[in-house]
Amino acid sequence: MTIASLLKHCLQLFFQTEKAWESIASQSCKPKQLFLYLLPLLLFMAACNFLGYQFFEQNPLQEINMHLFAAGATFVFSLLYIYISALMTSQFAHFTIRTERFKRAFTLITFSFIPGIIFNSIAFLIPMINYLTIFSLFSFFVLYKGISPMLSIPENRKSGYFTFILIGLLSISAVLGAFFIGIASLMGF
């Protein structure tokens, strides 16, 4: 998968979700390659988090350690969340080869969360419009549409699988969030 096709698929996910998933499922994309494409987006989101604090705080230099921690935590949280989510989701894939299950699940999770990364980046950068994070829920719609083509799950069972995957994703988010909140409180933030 090239950068041009990746961008095409990302745009298509917003407007022609099912068609985008069919195209993504027909291409072979290695997790390492997809991770390298995802890394700049995650760095951008962390930078937006830091810059949003710096631009809109009364005394940004006074709390710079907290802002750096928040940006770093955003980056690390996102990396861990995507990887652990892909591991969890791969258990639901209908493929006999374990590496194929992970590859497909990683592709599903990565492409599903790109809309959320984009909306969160905008909300981090301009905190006055942080209500835009509600549009991050679009990622779950994209995930729902991608379950069948990516994990080879029959259409009549897609809702049940989505429910279990969603519960797993929310659980992973809660555990990682509690972990980072604990670290922040230990550091005095």
Side-chain angles (χ1 to χ4, degrees):
M1 184 175 291
T2 64
I3 292 178
S5 66
L6 175 83
L7 292 173
K8 176 187 159 204
H9 292 314
C10 290
L11 273 174
Q12 242 182 355
L13 285 172
F14 282 96
F15 304 107
Q16 298 173 327
T17 310
E18 291 178 8
K19 185 177 177 184
W21 278 123
E22 290 170 10
S23 179
I24 293 167
S26 68
Q27 294 181 359
S28 178
C29 188
K30 297 176 184 170
K32 184 178 178 180
Q33 179 187 22
L34 196 55
F35 174 75
L36 291 175
Y37 291 151
L38 179 68
L39 205 54
L41 265 178
L42 296 178
L43 286 169
F44 177 73
M45 184 171 64
C48 286
N49 190 346
F50 178 75
L51 292 173
Y53 280 126
Q54 292 300 301
F55 291 153
F56 295 100
E57 284 283 325
Q58 295 289 344
N59 297 318
L61 295 177
Q62 187 177 15
E63 300 285 336
I64 196 158
N65 288 338
M66 183 187 75
H67 301 165
L68 286 170
F69 175 79
T74 298
F75 179 73
V76 173
F77 179 89
S78 301
L79 282 176
L80 288 173
Y81 185 68
I82 288 171
Y83 182 74
I84 295 170
S85 298
L87 281 175
M88 184 270 306
T89 306
S90 70
Q91 303 305 311
F92 295 99
H94 288 235
F95 296 99
T96 55
I97 302 169
R98 199 167 129 194
T99 56
E100 180 67 19
R101 286 195 318 245
F102 179 76
K103 182 174 87 170
R104 304 281 284 206
F106 189 80
T107 304
L108 173 69
I109 293 297
T110 300
F111 275 103
S112 296
F113 288 172
I114 286 176
I117 291 169
I118 292 168
F119 288 124
N120 282 330
S121 296
I122 295 168
F124 282 147
L125 189 59
I126 309 167
M128 294 165 298
I129 58 170
N130 65 0
Y131 56 86
L132 281 180
T133 57
I134 194 75
F135 291 121
S136 297
L137 294 175
F138 182 68
S139 290
F140 293 125
F141 171 76
V142 173
L143 177 71
Y144 177 76
K145 291 294 186 180
I147 285 176
S148 288
M150 292 306 297
L151 302 181
S152 189
I153 292 174
E155 282 292 324
N156 61 344
R157 294 186 175 184
K158 183 164 73 170
S159 295
Y161 277 89
F162 175 72
T163 303
F164 282 112
I165 290 171
L166 185 61
I167 290 169
L169 294 176
L170 294 174
S171 301
I172 291 166
S173 181
V175 169
L176 287 175
F179 177 73
F180 281 106
I181 289 172
I183 289 175
S185 67
L186 282 174
M187 295 180 76
F189 300 129

